[in-house]
Amino acid sequence: MKSRHLALAGVATGLFCAAFILAYTGFPGMPERRYIFDYLLRAQDLPAAALIIGIALAAAFAPAFAPLARPGLALADWIGRNPWATALGTFLVLCAGELIVARDYALAGDEHLVLLQAKAFAAGHLTAQFPPELVRWVVPWPYFDRWLYASPQTGAVVSVYWPGYALLLTPFVLLGIPWACNPFLASGALVLIGRLARRLTAAPHAAGWAMLLALASPAFTGMALGYFSMTAHLFFTLLYVSMLLERRFFIAGVVGSFALVLHNPWPHFLIALPWIAWIARREGWRVLLRLAAGYAPLALVIGVGWWLLMRKVQGQLWFAEAGDPFLYGQLQLARVFTEPGIATVAIRVAELVKLWLWTVPGLPALMLVGWWIARREMPLRLLGLSFVVTLAGYLFVWFDQGYGWGVRYLHPALAALPVLGAAAIARLQSDALRRYAAAAAFLSLVLATPYRWAQVESFMSEHLSRRPPFEENVREIVLVKLDVDYYTQDFVQNDPFLREPVIFMLSRGRDADEKLLRERFPGAHLERETRYGQVWRLD
C-alpha cells in the first residue's frame, strides 16, 4: 500500500464529505438553527472536513517521514501495556472536559429528563413531583405527552424513556458527581475494547491499537461529555459480547436486559440480533433458554413496570387513547418508526459522513478492511454485522439524532471500528499501514480532539448566553420565553421537587405570567428582563 494511494483515498473521501454536507444542508443558504442536526453538520462538520483532509494527507506520507508516526507507535505500545493507567487518565480528562468544556449542563431535553429521573430516584421516589398548579409552568410543555408524561391533577412527572440509565446515574447523583458517570463508563468501555481486540485477534499488540484508535476518535470522547445514554449503551454492548464469548449466557442475558431498558430497547435489539441468531444456530434451544432466562427478570420488572407507571401518570388520557388497543399501538409506533424513504436514507448517509469526520481519519475504511479479512472468523464477523444491522435498523426511524457530539445512533456499535481496525493492522502486517494508522491516530488525538472540544465549548457558551442571568443561591423565578429556533424550552430544568432556590418556568405570556406570580408568589418583584425572559426575586 503506497503513500500516494492513502493520500488520494483520504483527500477524495474528505472532499466527498464536504460536498455532501453542502448539498444536504442546502448550500448556499445556512440551515435554520431549529434544525439542529443540519445546523451542526454545516457549522461544525464542514470546517472539520478540512482538518481531517490535512491529517489524512500528513498521515499518508508518514512511511516516508518516520518521526511523524513514531509518537503514535510508541503510544499504541504503551497503552497496550498499561490499559488501566490509560483508563484512569481518560477518566480524569473526561471529567475535566465535562465540567469545563460541556459546562456540566444537560444541553438537550433528552439529557435533562434522565438527570431529573435520577435525582428523583436518589430522593427515594419513582417520579418527579411538582405542585399540580405549576406543572405546565415548571415542565417544558412542548414536550408534554411526547418526551414525558405529566399529570396536572397529581403533579407527577415521568420520562418516557426507560429508566436504566437514570438508575446508573443515581449513585453518582447521591455522591454529588453526576457529571462523572459518562466519563466512568467511557473509561470502562476503553478497557473492554482493548480486551476484546486482544481476545478476537489473538495478537497482544492489538489491544493497544484498538484502544488508541478509540481514544483518538473525537466521537468516543465527545459522546462522554454530557448526559446522553449512548456511552452506557457502548459499555453494555462490550460487556454483553464479552459474556457471550466466555459462554456465560445467563449473565449475558442479565447484561442485555439492562441494556434493553437503558432508555429504549431499539439499540440493544439491533446489536444483539446477529449474536442471538448465531447462538440459536450453533448452540441450540437449551443455551437460548439460558440467555432468555437472564433477559426475563429485569426486562419484565423494569420494562413492563415502567410502562405501567407511565400509564398511571397519563391517567385519563391513557384510558381514552386505549379505547382501541390496536389503534393505540399504531399511534405509539408511528411516533418513532416509518418506512424507509429518500429522506431517511439521506439522514443515515449524513450520519456516516459524521462518523468519518468524528473518528480517526480512515478508520471506517480500516474497519471494512478488517471485517473482510476476518470474514471467516465468526466473532469478528458478528461485530461488523452488529454495526451494519444498527445502521440498517435506523432506516426505519424517521427522525435524526438532533444534538450529540458524534453519531448518537451508531455509538452503541462504535466498538466495531477500533476492534476491526486493530484486526486489519494485526492481520495485514503492513509497515506502511501501521505507520499511517499511528500517525493518523496521534494527529487526531492532538489536533482533531482539541478542535472538536473547542467547538463543543463554543456552542455551549453561545447556547447558555441566551439563558436569562440569575443568581444560583438566591430565591428567584426565571421565566423563559419560548424560542423554538434556539430550543429555549430546554432551559426549563428544575429539581424534581423544587428544592433548589431558583425555579425555571416557561413563560406563557406577560399577563398570564404576572397573574401566576401575584397568586402564587405575592412578594415577587421583577429583578431583570432580557429578550429571552425575566428574572423575578422572591425575597
Side-chain angles (χ1 to χ4, degrees):
M1 188 175 293
K2 297 182 179 180
S3 60
R4 64 175 180 270
H5 297 149
L6 291 169
L8 182 62
V11 171
T13 307
L15 290 175
F16 168 79
C17 292
F20 178 87
I21 290 172
L22 289 172
Y24 182 81
T25 57
F27 181 80
M30 186 72 179
E32 292 184 42
R33 181 67 165 65
R34 74 178 68 183
Y35 303 116
I36 193 61
F37 176 75
D38 296 13
Y39 178 84
L40 291 175
L41 193 68
R42 181 72 169 275
Q44 292 187 347
D45 297 331
L46 184 59
L51 176 62
I52 295 302
I53 290 173
I55 291 176
L57 273 173
F61 292 101
F65 301 100
L68 193 59
R70 193 172 294 139
L73 291 169
L75 196 55
D77 178 64
W78 189 89
I79 289 173
R81 289 184 289 104
N82 301 277
W84 288 105
T86 302
L88 177 60
T90 300
F91 173 71
L92 295 175
V93 172
L94 287 176
C95 285
E98 171 61 18
L99 293 172
I100 299 169
V101 176
R103 306 291 187 88
D104 186 27
Y105 187 77
L107 175 63
D110 293 1
E111 296 175 274
H112 167 59
L113 286 175
V114 171
L115 193 55
L116 180 80
Q117 200 64 60
K119 290 179 178 179
F121 289 157
H125 296 266
L126 288 176
T127 70
Q129 187 67 48
F130 299 124
E133 66 274 17
L134 295 182
V135 164
R136 292 192 177 272
W137 300 81
V138 297
V139 176
W141 52 262
Y143 293 161
F144 269 55
D145 298 325
R146 184 180 176 90
W147 309 121
L148 57 85
Y149 294 116
S151 171
Q153 289 76 37
T154 67
V157 177
V158 65
S159 165
V160 300
Y161 298 116
W162 283 354
Y165 182 52
L167 288 169
L168 284 178
L169 266 174
T170 300
F172 292 89
V173 170
L174 287 169
L175 292 172
I177 54 170
W179 41 266
C181 181
N182 266 348
F184 180 79
L185 292 170
S187 303
L190 192 62
V191 173
L192 290 173
I193 284 172
R195 288 187 172 184
L196 191 61
R198 180 185 290 112
R199 180 190 184 98
L200 296 186
T201 63
H205 63 278
W209 278 109
M211 292 176 71
L212 176 60
L213 291 171
L215 193 57
S217 297
F220 178 81
T221 55
M223 197 61 71
L225 303 181
Y227 292 95
F228 283 116
S229 63
M230 311 321 284
T231 298
H233 274 290
L234 175 61
F235 176 84
F236 279 92
T237 290
L238 289 160
L239 195 57
Y240 178 75
V241 169
S242 298
M243 293 299 102
L244 290 179
L245 292 174
E246 292 175 14
R247 300 184 58 81
R248 299 164 73 178
F249 296 110
F250 179 80
I251 296 176
V254 174
V255 171
S257 68
F258 197 78
L260 274 178
V261 299
L262 277 172
H263 86 296
N264 79 62
W266 195 236
H268 178 71
F269 171 79
L270 295 174
I271 285 168
L273 198 58
W275 294 88
I276 293 174
W278 174 58
I279 289 169
R281 182 177 178 181
R282 178 185 173 183
E283 303 288 346
W285 63 271
R286 291 182 183 276
V287 169
L288 206 58
L289 283 178
R290 284 165 58 192
L291 185 66
Y295 268 102
L298 279 180
L300 291 173
V301 172
I302 297 180
V304 176
W306 197 254
W307 187 86
L308 293 172
L309 179 64
M310 286 192 294
R311 302 289 79 81
K312 180 181 178 182
V313 172
Q314 220 178 345
Q316 294 300 318
L317 179 62
W318 146 246
F319 290 110
E321 288 183 349
D324 184 344
F326 180 73
L327 177 60
Y328 178 78
Q330 282 187 315
L331 290 173
Q332 295 296 98
L333 290 175
R335 291 182 176 186
V336 177
F337 295 107
T338 185
E339 294 181 4
I342 294 177
T344 51
V345 170
I347 290 172
R348 303 310 159 215
V349 173
E351 289 173 350
L352 287 175
V353 166
K354 285 182 76 74
L355 185 72
W356 188 277
L357 299 176
W358 277 83
T359 54
V360 173
L363 182 55
L366 192 60
M367 179 201 79
L368 292 176
V369 172
W371 195 31
W372 173 255
I373 292 172
R375 63 189 181 278
R376 291 185 176 86
E377 300 175 44
M378 188 54 72
L380 285 169
R381 182 179 176 184
L382 290 170
L383 200 62
L385 272 175
S386 287
F387 182 88
V388 171
V389 170
T390 298
L391 178 63
Y394 276 95
L395 290 172
F396 296 89
V397 175
W398 66 266
F399 41 75
D400 59 55
Q401 73 170 34
Y403 285 115
W405 311 121
V407 190
R408 272 172 58 189
Y409 294 159
L410 293 177
H411 199 79
L414 190 72
L417 275 73
V419 173
L420 288 170
I425 294 170
R427 295 284 193 272
L428 287 176
Q429 295 292 315
S430 165
D431 187 61
L433 180 60
R434 287 175 65 253
R435 291 188 179 279
Y436 171 85
F442 179 74
L443 291 174
S444 181
L445 187 63
V446 300
L447 295 178
T449 297
Y451 178 70
R452 287 299 195 177
W453 282 31
Q455 287 182 323
V456 173
E457 196 281 331
S458 176
F459 186 88
M460 295 299 295
S461 296
E462 178 200 15
H463 180 72
L464 291 174
S465 70
R466 294 181 173 83
R467 187 171 60 170
F470 62 93
E471 298 180 50
E472 290 188 3
N473 297 315
V474 176
R475 293 186 67 238
E476 291 180 331
I477 290 179
V478 180
L479 281 160
V480 179
K481 292 181 181 177
L482 179 62
D483 186 336
V484 294
D485 286 342
Y486 289 93
Y487 294 82
T488 58
Q489 67 269 22
D490 290 336
F491 288 141
V492 182
Q493 300 186 12
N494 289 294
D495 177 83
F497 308 101
L498 300 185
R499 296 167 296 187
E500 296 176 355
V502 181
I503 300 174
F504 292 87
M505 297 185 180
L506 194 59
S507 172
R508 304 181 72 180
R510 187 64 176 261
D511 292 342
D513 293 346
E514 292 188 356
K515 180 181 178 183
L516 174 76
L517 291 168
R518 285 196 304 270
E519 294 176 354
R520 193 71 168 71
F521 307 97
H525 60 276
L526 183 63
E527 183 81 4
R528 64 187 67 88
E529 184 171 9
T530 72
R531 60 176 294 192
Y532 294 104
Q534 303 170 347
V535 178
W536 291 74
R537 188 77 169 257
L538 297 183
D539 291 340

